[in-house]
Amino acid sequence: MSDSDGPISPSAALRAAAAHTFARLEPGHGQPLARHLALLAEAEPGATPLIWTDTRAMVLTSMLVARARHDALGDGIELVSRYFDSGRLTRPAALSGPARSALYAGVAEYCAAVGWPQIGGHYAAEALLFAETPAQRYRALSVQALNLGLNAEYPGAARAIDDARQLYGDYGWAAEDVSHCLLLGDGFVAASRAESARMHAIADELEHAQPDDPYWVFSAEMTRVAAMFIGRSVPEALAKSWELLHSSGRTRSFRIVRGLLLGLHADMLTALGEYEEALAVLDNAVTNPGHAVCFPMQRSRTLLQMGREREVIENTNACVALHDEHCLRTLTQVLTVRAVAFLRMGGEKRALQSMESAFRLIQRTGGSMMPFLMIPFSETDLLLDRLSATTPDLASAAATTRQMLPKIAAPSARDDAFAALTTTERELAYLLTSSLGIPDIARARNVSVNTVKSQVRSIYGKLGVSSREDAVALLQRPHE
């Protein structure tokens, strides 16, 4: 096919499917038909045209959306790179504002589906810039809400959600016209605030909007699982996640939603002390570029609970090296897990650096509690104390986080054991659970070996044990 042929040479049936789908991407016309989406998802978009026209943009928009909604994501972000360079079309365009807005919104939805919200957020902003009607604004705001929520940019996501819902109410569109992207974005914002009741309401809205669409129903059920987990109904949530992950319905679900559910499933197994099973669940999980679902982060949370701190660091080094190519929502969680691992290994300076980096990102993105999910309370609490003392401008944020910790921290018998210890003894106790010998601990703490031995005897007395082995067993005993 030559460039002059355009992105495709569509058959009459394909042109009709694209036109029908395109018309239904905005509210007021119902949802696209499943058979049209299936047809478009299998079609080859083709080469870049010499000049973009509204018709060619319409066809590509419909194909991108179809691939996103039918989980046909094999081409990944490279499909976007075929037509765009740094957010701009690579060939001249004679596009109207509405066609351009729709095209950018389609790209943004596809980027979210493949797990690149960092890129998708840019295209969503462009879609909003060129939107001319309320329906076009609603579409652009919906994909913006999803990408910003997926990337932990919660204040911006919340504003987009509020504006979109205001439009939806003002124009009286039908319940079935609600955007799946908007509801998923709303779910991310609710999760960041640990609002389990709100998440249940969003799950109901997803299911009631399209009760016969398996993609929507699976998203609703995943949202319910997340709500139950955040609400501490772990056994019930685990049973539900088992059902979803092993049902035939998982074959008709969104890749990113499946990935989120798999991570939740591993977290719940970890919370119940089933560490090896949690790691087994993640064994074959593949992290796609962008890291919107980051399985190294998921593994590291389990490894941390198992006391395998060095593996936590090794497992997440590549994530930290990605910098701005890593989704911020999962990167903040990587940083907090690494902070605790460094602390246990005697690297307090590196622990505080990692925690400060996490807090800077959390502040920038709206104050989510999710980075502290599944991290033992006592260790996070100690790091917050140190952070407040060394970085005064973060003291207020640390205090706010401390208030929320009991609601989201990982349950652990270690927290009860640590409660009887002084701050200095707690710091030393973390090191006792590591592989460091007494001389290594003394060097890490810049004190004498005799001082460490004296402090260790005090710890043993408070814990009611007589050996390091017994102390470690007590401090690492799973919560019952």
Side-chain angles (χ1 to χ4, degrees):
M1 182 184 297
S2 67
D3 285 351
S4 61
D5 290 330
I8 60 168
S9 298
S11 65
L14 197 63
R15 287 197 304 271
H20 190 274
T21 297
F22 187 84
R24 295 188 172 204
L25 296 179
E26 299 168 5
H29 308 284
Q31 295 287 339
L33 298 181
R35 67 175 183 272
H36 287 165
L37 292 174
L39 180 65
L40 291 163
E42 295 173 354
E44 168 54 44
T48 305
L50 291 176
I51 297 178
W52 283 98
T53 64
D54 282 10
T55 298
R56 289 171 173 172
M58 177 268 291
V59 174
L60 180 59
T61 300
S62 299
M63 287 184 170
L64 287 169
V65 170
R67 289 186 174 214
R69 299 189 186 186
H70 262 247
D71 210 44
L73 309 174
D75 290 328
I77 202 68
E78 289 76 18
L79 181 59
V80 175
S81 302
R82 186 187 303 180
Y83 308 108
F84 294 87
D85 180 18
S86 301
R88 294 289 182 268
L89 288 164
T90 56
R91 293 290 178 85
L95 297 177
S96 65
R100 190 179 290 270
S101 178
L103 176 59
Y104 282 128
V107 175
E109 182 173 344
Y110 180 82
C111 287
V114 298
W116 274 103
Q118 310 93 305
I119 299 174
H122 172 78
Y123 286 101
E126 291 293 305
L128 192 57
L129 179 66
F130 288 99
E132 295 182 2
T133 68
Q136 290 163 11
R137 280 187 55 80
Y138 176 82
R139 166 79 174 141
L141 287 165
S142 296
V143 294
Q144 185 177 59
L146 175 55
N147 279 284
L148 294 182
L150 194 54
N151 199 41
E153 299 177 73
Y154 299 116
R159 288 192 295 271
I161 291 163
D162 289 344
D163 290 349
R165 287 193 178 277
Q166 183 67 49
L167 285 171
Y168 196 84
D170 289 347
Y171 288 89
W173 292 311
E176 68 174 14
D177 285 348
V178 69
S179 167
H180 181 270
C181 293
L182 180 73
L183 295 180
L184 281 186
D186 206 350
F188 282 114
V189 173
S192 76
R193 300 168 178 170
E195 295 176 344
S196 57
R198 175 63 187 148
M199 294 176 71
H200 279 295
I202 292 167
D204 289 342
E205 195 172 357
L206 276 163
E207 190 167 36
H208 294 159
Q210 297 292 327
D212 298 323
D213 189 318
Y215 290 89
W216 286 61
V217 172
F218 196 94
S219 295
E221 293 302 305
M222 183 280 294
T223 304
R224 287 197 182 95
V225 169
M228 287 187 284
F229 181 41
I230 290 174
R232 295 292 193 179
S233 299
V234 178
E236 181 183 1
L238 184 62
K240 186 65 178 176
S241 65
W242 266 118
E243 177 187 340
L244 290 171
L245 289 171
H246 293 85
S247 70
S248 58
R250 75 180 299 277
T251 61
R252 298 186 69 189
S253 61
F254 298 105
R255 184 175 79 185
I256 201 160
V257 173
R258 290 194 307 276
L260 290 167
L261 181 62
L262 191 65
L264 279 168
H265 191 75
D267 278 343
M268 289 184 284
L269 289 169
T270 299
L272 295 174
E274 302 291 343
Y275 305 135
E276 295 294 346
E277 187 174 351
L279 291 178
V281 164
L282 299 172
D283 270 349
N284 297 315
V286 176
T287 299
N288 293 289
H291 286 240
V293 177
C294 179
F295 291 114
M297 178 273 291
Q298 293 290 162
R299 292 186 185 94
S300 69
R301 293 213 285 221
T302 302
L303 292 169
L304 186 71
Q305 293 292 88
M306 299 173 76
R308 292 160 60 176
E309 291 81 18
R310 294 190 184 281
E311 290 179 70
V312 169
I313 302 304
E314 293 168 0
N315 195 58
T316 55
N317 278 336
C319 292
V320 175
L322 286 173
H323 302 294
D324 58 355
E325 291 186 10
H326 198 293
C327 174
L328 293 182
R329 182 180 52 82
T330 52
L331 179 58
T332 51
Q333 297 174 57
V334 166
L335 291 171
T336 52
V337 171
R338 284 170 66 89
V340 174
F342 281 131
L343 181 68
R344 291 184 185 176
M345 293 163 59
E348 182 173 325
K349 183 177 180 180
R350 296 190 70 182
L352 287 175
Q353 289 173 339
S354 191
M355 185 60 84
E356 181 181 349
S357 296
F359 257 89
R360 298 289 183 197
L361 285 177
I362 292 165
Q363 278 199 316
R364 194 178 102 196
T365 55
S368 171
M369 291 293 106
M370 290 301 100
F372 305 98
L373 186 71
M374 296 303 300
I375 299 179
F377 175 88
S378 57
E379 289 157 303
T380 309
D381 191 45
L382 177 60
L383 283 167
L384 293 179
D385 281 340
R386 287 285 183 266
L387 191 67
S388 298
T390 59
T391 318
D393 65 308
L394 293 177
S396 177
T400 301
T401 300
R402 182 180 283 106
Q403 293 176 353
M404 291 291 293
L405 282 181
K407 189 175 180 180
I408 60 173
S412 173
R414 174 183 290 195
D415 294 334
D416 298 330
F418 271 75
L421 306 180
T422 67
T423 300
T424 299
E425 289 169 342
R426 285 164 60 193
E427 293 174 9
L428 177 54
Y430 298 131
L431 299 180
L432 290 177
T433 63
S434 74
S435 59
L436 296 177
I438 295 298
D440 297 321
I441 292 175
R443 281 192 293 272
R445 295 178 57 75
N446 197 29
V447 297
S448 70
V449 170
N450 286 338
T451 297
V452 171
K453 289 181 177 179
S454 176
Q455 292 172 341
V456 167
R457 285 195 295 270
S458 175
I459 291 171
Y460 290 173
K462 291 182 179 182
L463 297 181
V465 299
S466 58
S467 69
R468 180 172 180 173
E469 181 180 2
D470 291 341
V472 170
L474 175 63
L475 295 170
Q476 293 187 332
R477 187 177 64 206
H479 179 78
E480 297 178 357

